[in-house]
Amino acid sequence: MATLDVNTIIARSLKAQGIEYVFGIIGIPVIELSMAMQAAGLKYIGMRNEQAACYAAQAVGYLTGKPGVCLCVSGPGLLHVTGGMANAQMNCWPLVVIAGATSEDHEGIGGFQEYLQVEASRPYCKYAVRPPNASLIPLHIEKAVRYATYGRPGVSYLDFPANLLQASAPESKINFELTHPPPPLTYPDPECVREAFKLLTHAQRPLIIIGKGAAYAHSENILRHMIENTNLPFLATPMGKGVVSDKAKQCVASARTAALQKADVILLLGARLNWILHFGRAPRFSADVKIIQVDLCPEELHNSVRSAVAVQADINPFVEHLFEQLNAVNFNFSDNSDWWKLLKEQCYKNKTTIRSMAMTTSPPLNYYTVFHHVQEIIPDDAIIVSEGANTMDIGRSMLLNTLPRHRLDAGTFGTMGVGPGFAIAAALVCRDRYPGKRVICVEGDSAFGFSGMELETMVRYKLPITILIVNNSGIYGGFEKDTFDAIRSDGDLTQVTPPSALTVETRYERMMEMFGMKGYFAREIPQLQDALKEALTLKDRPVIINVAINPSADRKPQAFNWLTESKL
């Protein structure tokens, strides 16, 4: 009777579920498993850090709708991955993590890298299990993929002890046909749609907020159609950008503070009222605002404030039904309304302020100058990966997205170090599905330090990623060289070196020389733009452009702190 080894069973089961990409770092006991995955036709990408591997796998899940797999070794390997698992779970991105484990007969007596892995993973997962035998592996892999993608997407964890990985089973007992249909759609209660229709059509100051849930749901076509035909103003959360183009005339991102604070009815689509949206509470929102909350997850409804209308539904069927009712009465929110006049006035005022900051082109540069001149060069359809403090936040407003799922950043969990992993995932997806599309990875110098050695991964797999490091020599801010040297001229360096400081103008671009390649350093706009133009011609390798800016450069004055402060 023919038998199959467990490594082959795992690999073929993943392939049967439509899994395409695996990211990981191999070691005992998953070396043979990684090779079996390649033999089964899975694309294996060897990374340099388990967290970065996990970030890449979850970004694939977001970009394609099918989970990426993160493969890691036991004990510390899995512990490194848990940061990425938590990030995926908080972002609601589909991910499957597979880890080797110590042999079961070594458990309890100090086995190599022994750890309670299933129990340790449960806080970060929707599903965590150790398959009990070889014949049940396809069932648990199907379940892991289904849990990761159905409902609110998230993380599944599969644990494989070394003795199970070395086992085999009769091929006749292995069912590779266990596959699930696409996730079912949840349709809205018609009465909820009618209530939403009434609120919107009677609103004096309506606003639509588009979240990354709308991007993941591929809601761009119906949302663009509805907004264009109703002329309702909209804002996007950071990764909701591009579902409706940032260049659409209904986009009021430049008047974000006024829009949130003065709207009387808000339609919330695929976004949570968490810290990113200031919890939906005053003073960032009107105290009597009426919120129409549409979310796939019922537990999210009324989670921060009581919504006027709470709808458990997929976004597409809800918006389709709502637009049918709006269209039936020829609803169109007038450009001549007081609300549109206020929003346009605020947009003009803020854009004028930012443009004046962006035109300060003499060194040392500021964030606005850098991003304004980068925006002039990069393609409209580029995927923008961004992380850092001011780098990410200011870049969100300056670097525009015209297409959905074309911005990846630190997300709901605010995780630093995600950039290179996200960029690797985006470049692989582009190479396989959208040849010629560019990936621009915009990094603060501190953020780049978390996962910078993934540059070697990019080189190894010939990924054309442009890494733009906005270098202010610190966390939030650094110091000019003379000041930095003076601070550290005397005393114990651990006592006198400011916690926010990094080495002044570190020449990160010289990392390219490790591979016999060229990086770029810029202090002036012509240097930056020339480097960017050249970088965008590269087809089979990454490049670093290191831009030195004023260490004390900051964002424009804000009406409110970007992070809502506790009032307790």
Side-chain angles (χ1 to χ4, degrees), residues 95-116:
L95 167 71
V96 173
V97 174
I98 294 175
T102 191
S103 293
E104 289 171 298
D105 59 327
H106 291 176
E107 290 180 343
I109 57 173
F112 175 65
Q113 295 185 332
E114 180 183 352
Y115 188 57
L116 295 173

Side-chain angles (χ1 to χ4, degrees), residues 321-358:
H321 291 170
L322 177 64
F323 180 56
E324 283 177 6
Q325 296 189 23
L326 293 169
N327 195 46
V329 298
N330 296 315
F331 177 82
N332 186 279
F333 196 74
S334 173
D335 275 325
N336 294 320
S337 66
D338 291 341
W339 183 226
W340 260 124
K341 289 177 182 177
L342 172 66
L343 292 173
K344 289 178 180 178
E345 178 184 341
Q346 202 64 36
C347 281
Y348 177 79
K349 178 181 176 182
N350 288 336
K351 286 179 179 178
T352 301
T353 300
I354 287 174
R355 183 166 183 81
S356 67
M357 297 175 74

Side-chain angles (χ1 to χ4, degrees), residues 150-161:
Y150 274 33
R152 173 177 279 183
V155 185
S156 292
Y157 172 67
L158 295 165
D159 194 69
F160 290 99

Side-chain angles (χ1 to χ4, degrees), residues 47-81:
M47 305 286 283
R48 298 303 301 268
N49 178 282
E50 286 97 346
Q51 282 190 14
C54 197
Y55 298 145
Q58 64 194 257
V60 158
Y62 173 67
L63 293 169
T64 69
K66 183 65 70 172
V69 170
C70 178
L71 177 67
C72 65
V73 300
S74 48
L78 178 64
L79 275 172
H80 289 169
V81 166

Side-chain angles (χ1 to χ4, degrees), residues 143-169:
K143 196 171 182 180
V145 175
R146 176 159 43 88
Y147 271 54
T149 52
Y150 274 33
R152 173 177 279 183
V155 185
S156 292
Y157 172 67
L158 295 165
D159 194 69
F160 290 99
N163 59 295
L164 181 57
L165 290 171
Q166 294 162 7
S168 60

Side-chain angles (χ1 to χ4, degrees), residues 74-91:
S74 48
L78 178 64
L79 275 172
H80 289 169
V81 166
T82 54
M85 294 166 72
N87 190 70
Q89 190 75 352
M90 293 294 290
N91 262 352

